Structure formats: structure tokens, C-alpha cells
Amino acid sequence: MKVILCTHNSGGVGKITLAVHLAGYLSKWGEVLLVNCDEQADSWKFFMEKEPGVPVDQGSARGIEVIANPERRSLKKLKVKPNQFDFIVIDIDTVFSNTVQVILNAHPDLIFIPLNRFHMYKSIDNLASVLEMVGGIDGNPALPYSVVIVPLGIDKENIESELERIEYHSEQYLVADFMEDLSTKMDKLIYKDRRYIWDSVGLEHNKKYFEYLAFNTSR
């Protein structure tokens, strides 16, 4: 079981883009569970195309099991067995010290922090607070997991300059390869069309980018 977090404490920076596309890509490689822990439930709505029930809702679409879990309840209490899945993707904004342990009784393996050109200055300005947040997940500041900053339409140099400015040790974090700026296209595909980016004519090559994130960015 591989546990992947997609997180950022600002909205509109690409967290949902990462969560739904990683879940969609990984569904070709094994059993996938997507846990949506945000109140807006946008990744749930991408797959299920409806509002979730409250306080928790479960469903299945496109070969992916999806749970809307804004109260961050234990999957064990929801009678879900995490070990039956090969990949668990968690879409979450703020992550407190024991959040992942409460939900899964497991540590994350891989954490993605998106930075989107559409909200470039906001997402970069908040990078220090996001890194501080993920640095304390499950009370373990030694980062036993991989933390990957994902530049969605932002030059890597801008992110690396910010990391130097806030004096975070670059060896603890990977700045992933640049992805072309598709923020406007992604916005329509995710919130209106409910389609993956690689299902658009001329954009099929972007599937390779999510393959790279899923399998080539772990420490």
C-alpha cells in the first residue's frame, strides 16, 4: 500500500488537479482509494458528479473507490480496509500532526505540494507555511516520506529561489519537473467537463507527467 497526500493550505493552487489525475493514472496499476478530506469535496464531485452525503459518503467510479470524509474519520471506523488497496490518494488542505494516523493508521509515503501559475504569488508566498505543516506530519520532523513541490506552469527557478530565501534545506525536498501552464484548461476539465487532461485532443502527452510524479519522484 502506497499512501500519497496532495496538500496545500491555499485554495486554487492545483491540489485537486494532482489528486484526481494521480488517482486516475494509478487506477491502471492497481486498486485505488481516493479520500477527499475537504469541505468542498471537489475531487469527490469530479468522480461521482454529485454532492456527497453527510457526514461521510462512499462511492465508486472509473475503477476508483472514493470517500468524502471532511471530518477526517478513521477508515477503520468506516469499515474500510486500507490494506486492500494498492494506492491511497488523500486530498487534504491542512494536515495536523496526527491526521494521517487517525485516518489510516499509517504514515504517508509521498506528499505533493502543487504551485499553480493561476495563483502563483499566493501559492509561492505560502510555501514556507506549507513546508512547516508537512514537516510535522505525525509528529516526525525527520521527513521519513518524500516531499515533492509540483510546478504547474511555474518556472522551477522561481520555486528554488523561494526555498533559498526561506532557508529550507533543498535536499529534503524535490522540485519536480515543470509542467506546461494548463490552468485555464484544467479549470474547465475538472469543474465542468469532469475529464482528465490526457483525454483532450492534443494534450494526451500529459499522461506521462503523472506517470513521472507517481513513480519517479520518491526518495
Side-chain angles (χ1 to χ4, degrees):
M1 180 180 73
K2 186 172 185 177
V3 180
I4 298 171
L5 267 62
C6 299
T7 189
H8 199 293
N9 57 15
S10 294
V13 297
K15 180 170 57 68
I16 296 159
T17 293
L18 290 185
V20 300
H21 284 85
L22 284 166
Y25 177 77
L26 290 169
S27 68
K28 309 303 179 185
W29 293 89
E31 298 296 320
V32 176
L33 171 66
L34 173 64
V35 184
N36 188 171
C37 295
D38 291 353
E39 292 287 343
Q40 293 85 356
D42 287 320
S43 56
W44 160 276
K45 287 184 278 191
F46 176 88
F47 287 105
M48 303 308 300
E49 301 187 20
K50 64 178 182 178
E51 295 287 339
V54 290
V56 177
D57 207 345
Q58 298 176 228
S60 178
R62 308 188 208 184
I64 297 167
E65 296 296 317
V66 188
I67 297 178
N69 186 19
E71 295 183 358
R72 305 178 182 194
R73 297 184 177 186
S74 163
L75 295 188
K76 183 177 179 180
K77 291 183 178 179
L78 299 178
K79 303 192 184 306
V80 175
K81 297 179 180 178
N83 289 334
Q84 74 185 55
F85 297 96
D86 300 294
F87 305 98
I88 297 178
V89 179
I90 301 179
D91 172 6
I92 194 167
D93 45 19
T94 52
V95 186
F96 300 109
S97 61
N98 65 342
T99 301
V100 185
Q101 281 290 325
V102 168
I103 295 171
L104 286 179
N105 193 30
H107 292 288
D109 300 295
L110 188 55
I111 298 176
F112 289 112
I113 301 170
L115 302 182
N116 191 323
R117 188 174 184 83
F118 194 69
H119 290 289
M120 179 171 73
Y121 297 107
K122 178 174 76 169
S123 57
I124 289 179
D125 285 348
N126 288 347
L127 183 55
S129 64
V130 178
L131 292 176
E132 182 178 359
M133 175 182 70
V134 301
I137 287 177
D138 295 337
N140 193 338
L143 300 183
Y145 37 79
S146 296
V147 178
V148 183
I149 302 167
V150 184
L152 302 173
I154 300 177
D155 291 337
K156 287 181 65 171
E157 291 77 10
N158 289 343
I159 299 170
E160 289 165 348
S161 295
E162 180 65 10
L163 287 172
E164 290 180 9
R165 188 189 72 78
I166 61 181
E167 298 182 346
Y168 271 88
H169 299 293
S170 58
E171 68 272 10
Q172 292 183 335
Y173 307 95
L174 170 68
V175 180
D177 292 346
F178 168 85
M179 181 181 181
E180 61 185 303
D181 181 17
L182 296 169
S183 52
T184 301
K185 173 69 77 172
M186 285 286 197
D187 189 61
K188 180 176 182 292
L189 285 169
I190 290 173
Y191 295 101
K192 183 177 184 295
D193 300 339
R194 313 292 190 192
R195 292 195 296 134
Y196 300 123
I197 190 69
W198 54 73
D199 289 334
S200 294
V201 176
L203 296 175
E204 298 89 348
H205 61 281
N206 285 287
K207 197 169 192 175
K208 286 288 185 182
Y209 188 78
F210 292 97
E211 175 184 11
Y212 154 72
L213 290 181
F215 294 123
N216 297 108
T217 56
S218 297
R219 288 193 292 165

